[in-house]
Amino acid sequence: VIPCVARHPHNIILLCCDAFGVLPPVSRLGLSQALYHFVSGYTAKVAGTESGVCGLQATFSACYAGAFLLWHPLRYAALLAGKMQTAGCQAWLVNTGWCGGSAGGGGRRISLGATRAIVAAIHSGELAVTPCVETPLFKLQVPVRCSGVPSELLLPELQWQDKGQFAATLSHLGGMFSANFQQFADGGGVVGRDVVAHILAGGPQLQQQADGLTGDAAAEAAQPAQQQQQQQQ
């Protein structure tokens, strides 16, 4: 009998569908970033996705399975971290959502062909050795090229005609990520605050962005997180 045992994976792919159009099609994640996006479990809904959804909505499902978790999400994150470090896995965030604008706001869907090329480049090892550039706010490492994918598609900002609107939308999404993660800030009795801080370092750096803003601009950047917190309360 052949045992049903496979080798440890070399790559872990986290999926999202960013309908706001500000996350890159592919990002190479550090460990803290992998844990942050795993715990966040971000995707987005658009009108017609399901009954009652009439517009663009961000949604978060911890560990991509929030309704089915038996343990605290950070316990699963700790397990994932241990296995990734033991096996030497590289994590990637693959976004199958929109580019050039948001859904319904002038953006267009990232093509299936581009996503297939990205996944193939991950598994072939091509993207592991490709130089990366860092995105604003989320600090994601984006490969500068990928076989079968136009280089300009890899960096969302290049696809937006209105750069100011791109920055505002990026800040809005970052605020929603930050507000969602507040429920895990105390570690849930599962991990210490030092571990939480390590994971938070992999998320959007809103304070760093706010430090570069003044007056009304800083207040505007902080509004999405404040509004999301009020809704949760």
Side-chain angles (χ1 to χ4, degrees):
V1 179
I2 300 176
C4 296
V5 179
R7 297 175 300 171
H8 290 295
H10 298 296
N11 298 287
I12 294 176
I13 297 175
L14 305 180
L15 288 175
C16 74
C17 179
D18 174 33
F20 292 89
V22 294
L23 294 184
V26 60
S27 308
R28 190 161 68 204
L29 303 178
L31 181 59
S32 62
Q33 291 176 318
L35 299 180
Y36 185 89
H37 286 278
F38 174 65
V39 172
S40 296
Y42 164 70
T43 191
K45 301 175 183 179
V46 296
T49 301
E50 59 187 57
S51 177
V53 178
C54 300
L56 180 55
Q57 295 181 13
T59 185
F60 299 89
S61 179
C63 307
Y64 299 95
F68 307 100
L69 301 184
L70 298 178
W71 294 338
H72 192 283
L74 292 179
R75 187 168 183 179
Y76 291 99
L79 288 171
L80 177 62
K83 291 184 180 296
M84 286 182 63
Q85 291 174 315
T86 298
C89 284
Q90 174 62 59
W92 306 83
L93 181 65
V94 173
N95 169 31
T96 64
W98 274 254
C99 61
S102 61
R108 63 187 185 280
R109 193 73 188 266
I110 296 169
S111 72
L112 181 58
T115 299
R116 285 174 171 165
I118 286 168
V119 172
I122 289 173
H123 288 310
S124 72
E126 175 190 337
L127 295 189
V129 296
T130 300
C132 293
V133 295
E134 187 175 271
T135 67
L137 190 62
F138 280 84
K139 306 299 181 183
L140 297 170
Q141 299 298 310
V142 180
V144 297
R145 57 183 175 272
C146 175
S147 297
V149 180
S151 296
E152 62 271 16
L153 180 64
L154 298 173
L155 289 173
E157 188 172 6
L158 299 181
Q159 298 290 301
W160 283 63
Q161 293 185 349
D162 188 335
K163 308 303 183 187
Q165 185 62 36
F166 169 82
T169 305
L170 182 66
S171 292
H172 179 66
L173 181 61
M176 288 188 286
F177 264 88
S178 180
N180 172 71
F181 211 89
Q182 288 301 309
Q183 62 187 303
F184 311 121
D186 63 355
V190 176
V191 299
R193 291 188 178 273
D194 57 333
V195 175
V196 175
H198 173 71
I199 296 175
L200 280 171
Q205 303 303 301
L206 293 172
Q207 186 58 50
Q208 290 184 12
Q209 185 191 50
D211 288 344
L213 302 174
T214 58
D216 294 340
E220 183 178 353
Q223 282 179 357
Q226 295 169 350
Q227 292 169 354
Q228 189 80 353
Q229 288 173 342
Q230 291 171 357
Q231 291 173 1
Q232 290 177 344
Q233 293 172 355

